[in-house]
């Protein structure tokens, strides 16, 4: 045969072609003789002729190695078929041992056969034939076919526990094969499929940890990681049998739907029974334990499902996950946020405050504040973990289905809960400060004769801030960015409200304006210190927050400085107003004139002068809009000014 290789290009010569044909005939005859020897040595099941390994057969295998590859394949096929013939009889469909509850016996049988093969025939076949692995692989193909057939017939008898038991035992067996064999005989493409389906796993979505290299390490990390033991990327036998369970995974999915529904109901009942979380001043706001339980359960389901299928069942499971993430957000989180008043809405709060100026109307209790912070922290945890869950699901699912994994809607839901929680905290602190601001605006500021150190209004506001903010900060210690958001939103709400109440302080004497300027400066200092107020550790306030406070309270100071300035001569007063208030407009100017106690007749000429001196381009449409409502138009037509003045007098 080796010599003939040198004469391939001379096959046109008759003598050489004849020699080649004689060699092929000898090969064929020898191959048939070897096959006949194997049939005689390993007779069909039921015959009484003795058979078994021999040195002749071992040499025959070496000869078959260099003959037509079909001879080798035929020997292997006949030997494996004869070796598994007993299995097909013992575990045929009508046998009790064939059902899923006794699936262990199938794997025990093949393990015994492999031991028996090694003892009797291990030295007969060449090592490179990998006969033990071929027997195991053929057993897997037969088992998958037989299990699929019996499960189709008895589909109504498949329960979740039985299905999971069979899956677990099967994946354990596939793990055993991976440890024992290399998978080199899987030439039907299944090896490549298994290597492609789940990409190499990164850190688990709940915590950072290195991939466990040993069983002991994996056990230390937690029982939920254990199902990943035969990791799909390293196990060419992954799914070689367990693929047959995929059509029946709907049983598992339906079961998880039911279980998660019951889990959410239990969370609701537990929350009602245990009440809101206790105040926490040491380690930051406690996350509700139920959310960790939910994601641990999710992880268990995801790992179980991905072991079996990375296709449509994973998409179905994702849909179930989405459903109960939304239910958790609304039933456990939003559903337990305390209400501001008996009937929701800011109008009710403000009306209560008008009736009870000095009281703490609609103010949350310490427990309610802690509950809001706990729900906010939980929503933040759920938001971050849902994002990691989405990434992990995309790792587990087939590449072609990745685009169908999308938990953005659920993440938005948790973001809404966070925003609602922050808004409640802001509204509460804001409402607590309202009575002091209302009382401040109703004081007779024209009768103030001397400037005091600190007014009772500031004292009241500071008291409420010192009561609420440390509680909120301590309970949001684990989510500082949301505490910063709370501070920013409070500043954005309180400062405009303070300025609105300033405008209501009219008329104001010079001393009264000085007192209000002192009040404004005191509040500015308190607000700048708000993020760390009452804390032993003094931290610098975030720059974004400081900028808002400085800008807002400086505007309040500038308004009061304009009020304190003499309004004669008019040009100097108007220019001073334009210089001090960058956002100057006629509406604000009118309010300042009211604070000074000027009559409408005096105001009209000042408004006219302002309109003349306002820079036209920057003001644009905004100025003209305010003018159309509260002051003469930019054209400064005297007739229109007089008409407006008469209209104002009539209304007054």
């Amino acid at each position: 045969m080796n010599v003939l290789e040198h004469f391939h290009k001379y096959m046109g010569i008759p003598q050489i072609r004849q020699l080649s044909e004689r060699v092929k005939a000898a090969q064929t005859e020898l191959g048939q003789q070897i096959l006949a020897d194997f049939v005689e040595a390993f007779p069909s099941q039921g015959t009484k002729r003795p058979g078994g390994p021999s040195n002749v057969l071992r040499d025959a295998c070496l000869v078959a190695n260099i003959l037509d590859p079909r001879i080798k394949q035929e020997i292997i096929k006949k030997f494996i078929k004869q070796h598994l013939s007993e299995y097909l009889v013992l575990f045929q469909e009508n046998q009790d041992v064939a059902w899923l509850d006794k699936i262990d016996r199938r794997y025990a049988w093949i393990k015994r056969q492999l031991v028996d093969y090694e003892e009797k025939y291990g030295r007969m076949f060449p090592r490179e034939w990998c006969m033990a692995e071929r027997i195991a692989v053929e057993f897997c193909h037969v088992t998958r076919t037989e299990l699929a057939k019996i499960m189709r017939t008895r589909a109504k008898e498949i329960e979740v526990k039985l299905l999971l038991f069979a899956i677990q035992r099967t994946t354990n067996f596939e793990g055993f094969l991976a440890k024992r064999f290399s998978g080199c005989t899987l030439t039907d493409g299944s090896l490549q499929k298994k290597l492609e389906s789940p990409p190499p796993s990164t850190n688990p979505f709940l915590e950072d940890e290195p991939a466990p290299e040993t069983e002991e390490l994996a056990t230390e990390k937690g029982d939920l990681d254990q199902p990943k033991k035969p990791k799909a990327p390293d196990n060419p036998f992954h799914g070689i049998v367990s693929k047959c369970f995929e059509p029946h995974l709907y049983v598992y999915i339906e079961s998880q739907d039911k279980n998660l529904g019951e889990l959410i109901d239990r969370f609701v009942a537990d929350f009602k029974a245990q009440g809101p979380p206790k105040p926490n001043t040491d380690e930051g706001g406690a996350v509700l334990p139920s959310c960790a339980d939910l994601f641990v359960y999710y992880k268990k389901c995801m790992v179980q499902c991905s072991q079996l299928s990375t296709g449509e069942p994973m998409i179905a499971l994702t849909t179930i996950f989405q459903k109960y993430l939304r239910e958790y957000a609304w039933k456990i989180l939003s559903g337990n946020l305390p209400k501001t008043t008996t009937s929701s809405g800011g109008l009710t709060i403000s009306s209560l405050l008008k009736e009870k100026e000095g009281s703490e109307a609609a103010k949350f209790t310490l427990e309610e504040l802690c509950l809001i912070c706990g729900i906010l922290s939980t929503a933040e945890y759920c938001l971050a973990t849902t994002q990691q869950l989405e990434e992990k699901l995309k790792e587990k699912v087939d590449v072609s289905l990745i685009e169908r994994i999308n938990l953005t809607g659920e993440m938005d839901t948790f973001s809404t809960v966070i925003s609602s929680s922050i808004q409640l905290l802001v509204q509460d602190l804001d409402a607590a400060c309202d009575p002091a601001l209302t009382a401040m605006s109703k004081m007779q500021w024209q009768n103030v004769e001397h400037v005091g150190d600190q007014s009772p209004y500031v004292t009241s506001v500071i008291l409420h801030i010192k009561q609420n903010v440390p509680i909120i900060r301590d309970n949001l210690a684990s989510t500082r960015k949301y505490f910063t958001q709370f501070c920013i939103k409070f500043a954005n709400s309180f400062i405009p409200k303070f300025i609105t109440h300033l405008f209501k302080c009219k008329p104001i004497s010079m001393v009264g304006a000085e007192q209000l300027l002192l009040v404004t400066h005191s509040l500015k200092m308190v607000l700048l210190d708000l993020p760390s107020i009452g804390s032993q550790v003094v931290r610098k306030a975030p720059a974004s927050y400081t900028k808002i406070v400085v800008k807002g309270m400086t505007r309040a100071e500038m308004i009061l400085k304009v009020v304190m300035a003499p309004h004669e001569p008019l040009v100097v007063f108007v220019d001073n107003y334009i210089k001090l208030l960058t956002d100057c407009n006629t509406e604000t100017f009118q309010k300042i004139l009211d604070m000074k106690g000027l009559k409408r007749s005096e105001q009209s000429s000042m408004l006219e002068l302002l309109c003349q001196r306002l820079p036209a381009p920057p003001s644009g449409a905004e100025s003209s809009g305010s003018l159309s409502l509260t002051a003469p138009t930019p054209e400064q037509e005297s007739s229109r000014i007089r008409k407006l003045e008469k209209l104002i007098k009539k209304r007054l």
Side-chain angles (χ1 to χ4, degrees):
M1 285 170 68
N2 289 343
V3 171
L4 273 176
E5 287 177 9
H6 297 280
F7 290 89
H8 277 318
K9 56 186 176 181
Y10 304 112
M11 286 298 167
I13 300 170
Q15 290 89 337
I16 293 177
R17 187 169 63 252
Q18 288 169 9
L19 282 170
S20 174
E21 288 170 356
R22 284 173 60 190
V23 171
K24 286 180 182 177
Q27 283 179 275
T28 303
E29 184 182 351
L30 193 55
Q32 290 171 347
Q33 181 185 333
I34 290 172
L35 285 173
D37 288 346
F38 267 93
V39 170
E40 186 177 351
F42 300 101
S44 301
Q45 195 76 14
T47 56
K48 295 182 179 179
R49 283 186 301 152
S54 67
N55 290 333
V56 173
L57 290 179
R58 184 179 64 188
D59 292 340
C61 289
L62 296 175
V63 174
N65 249 350
I66 59 168
L67 297 177
D68 189 327
R70 286 176 294 184
I71 302 296
K72 169 186 167 184
Q73 295 299 329
E74 191 67 24
I75 293 171
I76 291 171
K77 183 179 176 182
K78 285 182 179 295
F79 180 80
I80 292 176
K81 184 178 180 181
Q82 191 269 345
H83 217 68
L84 294 178
S85 57
E86 180 189 344
Y87 175 66
L88 290 170
V89 174
L90 290 175
F91 292 90
Q92 52 187 317
E93 192 175 342
N94 59 356
Q95 297 295 321
D96 180 57
V97 76
W99 188 228
L100 300 180
D101 58 342
K102 297 182 178 63
I103 200 167
D104 276 342
R105 298 191 186 183
R106 293 176 181 268
Y107 305 132
W109 183 88
I110 189 62
K111 287 176 183 178
R112 288 196 301 272
Q113 290 300 311
L114 291 173
V115 171
D116 181 62
Y117 164 81
E118 292 294 344
E119 290 176 354
K120 292 183 179 179
Y121 311 107
R123 301 181 66 182
M124 187 178 82
F125 293 103
R127 185 178 293 276
E128 64 269 21
W129 284 22
C130 303
M131 283 299 290
E133 181 177 320
R134 290 180 188 276
I135 292 169
V137 168
E138 183 60 25
F139 165 83
C140 290
H141 291 322
V142 170
T143 301
R144 187 177 70 239
T145 304
E146 292 297 310
L147 286 174
K149 191 192 303 180
I150 195 171
M151 282 193 290
R152 279 196 302 271
T153 307
R154 302 173 65 175
K156 292 181 180 178
E157 299 177 43
I158 300 176
E159 295 177 351
V160 177
K161 286 184 179 179
L162 181 63
L163 183 67
L164 291 181
F165 167 78
I167 290 169
Q168 185 187 32
R169 293 295 189 267
T170 303
T171 51
N172 287 347
F173 174 68
E174 290 169 351
F176 161 77
L177 294 179
K179 291 175 183 175
R180 180 87 183 269
F181 304 116
S182 66
C184 61
T185 65
L186 297 171
T187 56
D188 58 354
S190 60
L191 173 61
Q192 190 62 29
K193 286 178 188 175
K194 296 306 152 209
L195 286 172
E196 285 176 0
S197 50
S201 62
T202 57
N203 295 335
F205 74 89
L206 276 177
E207 65 278 324
D208 295 329
E209 67 173 80
E213 296 178 1
T214 65
E215 191 167 332
E216 292 78 12
L217 277 176
T219 306
E220 288 174 10
K221 295 296 179 184
D223 62 336
L224 289 178
D225 288 334
Q226 289 182 17
K228 289 161 54 176
K229 289 259 175 46
K231 290 187 292 182
D234 299 335
N235 183 1
F237 299 94
H238 177 71
I240 193 169
V241 179
S242 57
K243 202 76 176 170
C244 67
F245 297 110
E246 187 165 335
H248 304 278
L249 265 184
Y250 67 88
V251 176
Y252 174 75
I253 301 296
E254 288 173 0
S255 168
Q256 296 312 321
D257 190 1
K258 181 183 175 184
N259 290 347
L260 280 165
E262 292 173 354
L263 193 64
I264 295 292
D265 290 341
R266 179 166 66 81
F267 290 160
V268 172
D270 287 351
F271 191 95
K272 288 179 180 176
Q274 296 169 7
K278 298 296 180 286
N280 189 346
T281 56
D282 297 325
E283 300 176 3
V287 172
L288 299 180
S290 57
C291 71
D293 294 343
L294 179 69
F295 283 106
V296 166
Y297 191 85
Y298 271 11
K299 186 177 181 182
K300 180 182 177 183
C301 295
M302 182 184 68
V303 171
Q304 284 178 336
C305 190
S306 65
Q307 279 190 319
L308 193 50
S309 169
T310 54
E312 286 295 333
M314 283 291 284
I315 301 297
L317 189 66
T318 301
T319 304
I320 299 296
F321 284 178
Q322 290 174 300
K323 173 183 174 182
Y324 289 103
L325 282 173
R326 290 191 297 270
E327 284 212 10
Y328 186 85
W330 297 125
K331 288 186 177 180
I332 310 298
L333 301 182
S334 284
N336 286 305
L337 279 174
K339 305 298 183 287
T340 50
T341 54
T342 50
S343 58
S344 59
L347 289 174
T348 311
I349 294 177
S350 58
S351 62
L352 279 171
L353 289 172
K354 285 177 183 176
E355 294 171 12
K356 306 176 182 179
E357 289 179 12
S359 68
E360 296 181 4
K363 193 173 185 301
F364 290 136
T365 63
L366 173 63
E367 289 73 19
E368 286 174 328
L369 284 177
C370 294
L371 171 60
I372 296 170
C373 293
I375 287 174
L376 194 158
S377 299
T378 303
E380 193 264 346
Y381 172 86
C382 291
L383 174 62
T385 314
T386 300
Q387 186 175 359
Q388 293 169 336
L389 172 62
E390 181 185 81
E391 292 168 3
K392 190 57 63 175
L393 284 167
K394 286 181 177 179
E395 284 182 19
K396 298 288 184 186
V397 79
D398 286 339
V399 176
S400 60
L401 300 175
I402 285 178
E403 290 184 0
R404 291 172 63 185
I405 304 287
N406 187 350
L407 303 184
T408 306
E410 289 62 45
M411 287 186 256
D412 289 344
T413 301
F414 288 118
S415 295
T416 302
V417 175
I418 292 170
S419 298
S420 300
S421 302
I422 293 174
Q423 194 59 39
L424 277 178
L425 295 171
V426 170
Q427 285 177 359
D428 181 60
L429 185 54
D430 219 14
C433 297
D434 269 352
L437 296 180
T438 304
M440 179 187 79
S441 64
K442 290 186 176 181
M443 185 177 168
Q444 301 297 318
W445 287 100
Q446 75 273 27
N447 298 330
V448 176
E449 295 179 355
H450 62 276
V451 179
D453 291 338
Q454 184 165 303
S455 67
Y457 320 114
V458 178
T459 306
S460 177
V461 170
I462 294 174
L463 177 65
H464 290 303
I465 289 175
K466 283 186 174 179
Q467 283 176 344
N468 285 32
V469 173
I471 297 169
I472 295 168
R473 182 182 58 243
D474 292 341
N475 281 276
L476 292 181
S478 59
T479 54
R480 287 203 64 84
K481 66 176 180 179
Y482 292 117
F483 174 67
T484 302
Q485 278 190 29
F486 158 76
C487 293
I488 290 172
K489 286 192 175 185
F490 174 70
N492 278 326
S493 173
F494 176 81
I495 294 173
K497 185 180 287 187
F498 173 71
I499 292 174
T500 301
H501 280 80
L502 271 185
F503 285 134
K504 292 178 182 178
C505 299
K506 56 187 179 180
I508 306 178
S509 65
M510 180 66 73
V511 179
E514 289 177 4
Q515 179 65 45
L516 277 174
L517 191 60
L518 182 64
V519 167
T520 304
H521 182 74
S522 299
L523 283 176
K524 181 180 178 181
M525 293 298 103
V526 171
L527 289 173
L528 287 173
D529 188 42
L530 183 135
S532 60
I533 198 165
S535 173
Q536 294 178 349
V537 181
V538 179
R539 294 186 183 182
K540 190 177 180 181
S544 55
Y545 171 76
T546 303
K547 185 178 178 182
I548 290 168
V549 172
V550 170
K551 182 179 179 182
M553 295 306 286
T554 301
R555 181 170 185 268
E557 289 174 340
M558 293 303 105
I559 288 170
L560 289 169
K561 285 182 179 180
V562 174
V563 172
M564 291 167 62
H567 58 276
E568 297 287 350
L570 294 184
V571 175
V572 176
F573 179 74
V574 171
D575 286 348
N576 192 41
Y577 166 73
I578 294 171
K579 180 183 176 183
L580 290 175
L581 287 169
T582 53
D583 60 337
C584 56
N585 56 51
T586 52
E587 185 178 2
T588 305
F589 190 63
Q590 177 101 52
K591 290 177 180 177
I592 289 173
L593 297 181
D594 288 340
M595 290 172 73
K596 289 178 72 68
L598 296 176
K599 296 177 181 179
R600 293 294 172 173
S601 56
E602 295 178 274
Q603 292 184 19
S604 58
S605 57
M606 299 175 78
L607 284 166
E608 183 180 353
L609 183 60
L610 174 68
C611 293
Q612 291 172 355
R613 303 191 72 81
L614 271 178
S619 313
E622 185 184 346
S623 290
S624 63
S626 61
L627 287 173
S628 63
L629 294 173
T630 61
T633 57
E635 288 77 9
Q636 294 93 35
E637 296 178 4
S638 59
S639 60
R640 298 185 68 178
I641 293 171
R642 283 194 292 273
K643 287 178 184 177
L644 181 62
E645 187 178 348
K646 288 178 183 178
L647 182 62
I648 291 170
K649 285 180 179 178
K650 283 180 182 178
R651 287 187 177 176
L652 286 173

